[in-house]
Amino acid sequence: MHSSKTLTKLELIIKLMIEELPPSAKLVLKVLENKRIVKFSELQRETNLPTRTLRYAIRVLKERGIIKTLPCLEDARQRFYLLVDECYKLE
């Protein structure tokens, strides 16, 4: 058995994955951890990142399978962003 200070293999992989993220992606990740599900406009307000930087951060997080997008049923032009583990809670 391992102590509480010892990281499991999965926890270590996740920690390394997050450490390799650009600062903008870490900021977006932090907002999503707190808010759970947000639209692009809310992410922009919360992070104060320029549009291009925010889109890059979202792309990086999506490519690594950390976040997922869902369509907004009220406005098909918009998307909701949420952590992948939150997707399973919604379904």
Side-chain angles (χ1 to χ4, degrees), residues 11-40:
E11 290 170 332
L12 185 58
I13 291 169
I14 291 169
K15 186 175 188 253
L16 290 173
M17 229 171 91
I18 291 172
E19 286 177 357
E20 292 176 359
L21 292 173
S24 58
K26 289 178 185 176
L27 182 57
V28 169
L29 191 57
K30 196 51 105 174
V31 170
L32 286 171
E33 286 174 349
N34 292 328
K35 297 275 186 171
R36 305 230 182 241
I37 183 167
V38 294
K39 291 181 182 177
F40 186 87

Side-chain angles (χ1 to χ4, degrees), residues 31-75:
V31 170
L32 286 171
E33 286 174 349
N34 292 328
K35 297 275 186 171
R36 305 230 182 241
I37 183 167
V38 294
K39 291 181 182 177
F40 186 87
S41 57
E42 189 175 354
L43 268 177
Q44 212 165 22
R45 246 190 334 272
E46 292 289 325
T47 62
N48 290 316
L49 292 171
T51 302
R52 187 172 178 178
T53 305
L54 182 54
R55 288 191 193 284
Y56 171 72
I58 289 170
R59 187 175 71 237
V60 167
L61 292 169
K62 282 175 63 177
E63 287 172 352
R64 295 186 186 192
I66 298 172
I67 67 170
K68 181 177 179 177
T69 59
L70 296 175
C72 175
L73 300 177
E74 296 169 357
D75 185 351

